[in-house]
Amino acid sequence: MPERVLAIVGPTAAGKSELAVALAHLFDGEVVNADSMQLYGGMDIGTAKPTAAERRGVVHHLLDVWPVTKSAAVAEYQAMARAVIDDVHTRGRLPIVVGGSGLYVRGALDRLDFPGESPPIRARLTAELGTVGAPALHERLRRLDPEAARAILPSNGRRIVRALEVIELTGGPFLARMPGFESFYDTTYVGLDRADLDERIAARVERMFVLGFVDEVRGLLYAGLRGSPTAGKALGYAQILRCLDDNGAVVGDLDQAADETVQGTRRFVRRQRSWFRRDPRIVWLAGTSATVVAEAAHTLEP
């Protein structure tokens, strides 16, 4: 399948990784990660990063490529992802881009140019964020760009700052920079969703804590997680950080942190669904179907 790309997208806990591995075995493929938090080294349990056993011998790219102290950079990810995809193509294999981070998927696969950055503007807005808080900046964003404000949670200070930075830098609305759905590659899009995600999310979070999620966060304290502008705000990690002091001692309610992680993940799923459902190219499949692998394979037929 020269120059072909398969994208498997959809909400958290829908089973995207398992489907990707199964299809990689069928079509001689390699997985290209498009989950923004799985790019960070050491963030394994809390991001449900596939283990070596779960990868079942399939090559996975763009896992553990950034330190937790690094700020997210979608334009940088775009360059890395396209280099990997092109390399997989040169070896005659099928790149399978997998993830629930919608902007990262589009950055890798669509004709999308990201606006530049202004460190002075971002520094000023970040300082203001620390002074007045995310809700106040979100209200400013609502006045300047109502559509962007609807797409960004009032609590997501990092994304609010980025949106305001782009508006100030370009003089135009933030989301107006997002063009229509035009693929950079010959891409087949498969979306995976399921009706039982609320229950699966609760079970997943419970399993994460059993597997040692708290110890993972405790270990990342010394790598700079608490001060991280991106990784330290990730679902689950932020909730556990609030329960640990700088020496890793538990000073908060971990049961409450687990409950907040479940609720936050469910809210995130609603946003993921809203993002991906706007894309008319995606063929949606039910993750509960016993024949989902065959159905997904059928989408790749000429």
Side-chain angles (χ1 to χ4, degrees):
M1 295 182 182
E3 309 309 309
R4 191 87 175 270
V5 176
L6 172 63
I8 301 178
V9 302
T12 295
K16 298 184 295 295
S17 294
E18 297 93 328
L19 178 60
V21 167
L23 292 173
H25 280 289
L26 285 176
F27 293 101
D28 195 23
E30 298 181 14
V31 171
V32 183
N33 169 52
D35 181 310
S36 61
M37 292 300 110
Q38 290 186 3
L39 290 161
Y40 289 101
M43 295 177 64
D44 302 330
I45 297 172
T47 66
K49 192 178 294 176
T51 64
E54 291 166 340
R55 298 176 203 179
R56 292 170 46 205
V58 172
V59 176
H60 281 61
H61 300 275
L62 299 183
L63 298 173
D64 306 316
V65 295
W66 287 343
V68 295
T69 51
K70 180 176 174 55
S71 178
V74 186
E76 183 177 340
Y77 168 79
Q78 180 185 61
M80 293 191 302
R82 290 185 178 178
V84 168
I85 290 168
D86 292 346
D87 177 62
V88 175
H89 278 148
T90 62
R91 290 182 280 107
R93 311 195 80 193
L94 175 69
I96 304 176
V97 176
V98 183
S101 300
L103 187 58
Y104 282 68
V105 173
R106 291 206 62 190
L109 299 177
D110 281 2
R111 298 191 181 279
L112 205 61
D113 293 322
F114 293 98
E117 300 182 355
S118 171
I121 293 175
R122 183 175 299 185
R124 171 166 47 79
L125 289 169
T126 300
E128 190 175 355
L129 173 68
T131 302
V132 304
L137 289 188
H138 190 268
E139 174 59 25
R140 182 188 305 170
L141 179 62
R142 187 191 64 77
R143 295 194 302 269
L144 295 172
D145 188 347
E147 187 178 356
R150 284 192 293 270
I152 300 174
L153 288 175
S155 59
N156 194 333
R158 181 182 62 82
R159 288 201 65 204
I160 295 168
V161 164
R162 175 57 177 159
L164 291 172
E165 176 191 358
V166 170
I167 291 169
E168 188 170 340
L169 196 60
T170 64
F174 177 59
L175 289 188
R177 312 294 299 182
M178 189 72 68
F181 299 104
E182 184 182 358
S183 299
F184 188 80
Y185 298 97
D186 176 12
T187 306
T188 296
Y189 293 84
V190 171
L192 202 62
D193 205 344
R194 49 194 301 153
D196 60 351
L197 278 190
D198 279 359
E199 294 80 7
R200 282 174 64 88
I201 288 166
R204 173 184 276 197
V205 171
E206 181 178 359
R207 182 169 180 266
M208 286 174 175
F209 276 77
V210 170
L211 290 175
F213 191 11
V214 175
D215 286 336
E216 176 172 283
V217 176
R218 184 179 284 120
L220 290 170
L221 275 172
Y222 306 104
L225 182 65
R226 194 185 296 280
S228 167
T230 304
K233 308 300 187 296
L235 277 167
Y237 292 88
Q239 285 75 18
I240 293 176
L241 280 173
R242 290 197 291 268
C243 295
L244 302 179
D245 66 17
D246 288 340
N247 294 315
V250 176
V251 294
D253 188 336
L254 290 173
D255 289 335
Q256 181 179 344
D259 290 341
E260 290 175 354
T261 301
V262 170
Q263 297 307 318
T265 305
R266 288 172 177 168
R267 289 192 295 272
F268 181 54
V269 161
R270 291 195 290 271
R271 291 169 53 216
Q272 288 175 301
R273 283 171 168 158
S274 176
W275 174 283
F276 287 117
R277 291 288 176 179
R278 293 195 295 263
D279 191 334
R281 301 167 297 181
I282 298 174
V283 177
W284 286 97
L285 303 177
T288 52
S289 171
T291 59
V292 67
V293 174
E295 292 171 40
H298 181 68
T299 67
L300 283 166
E301 295 178 0

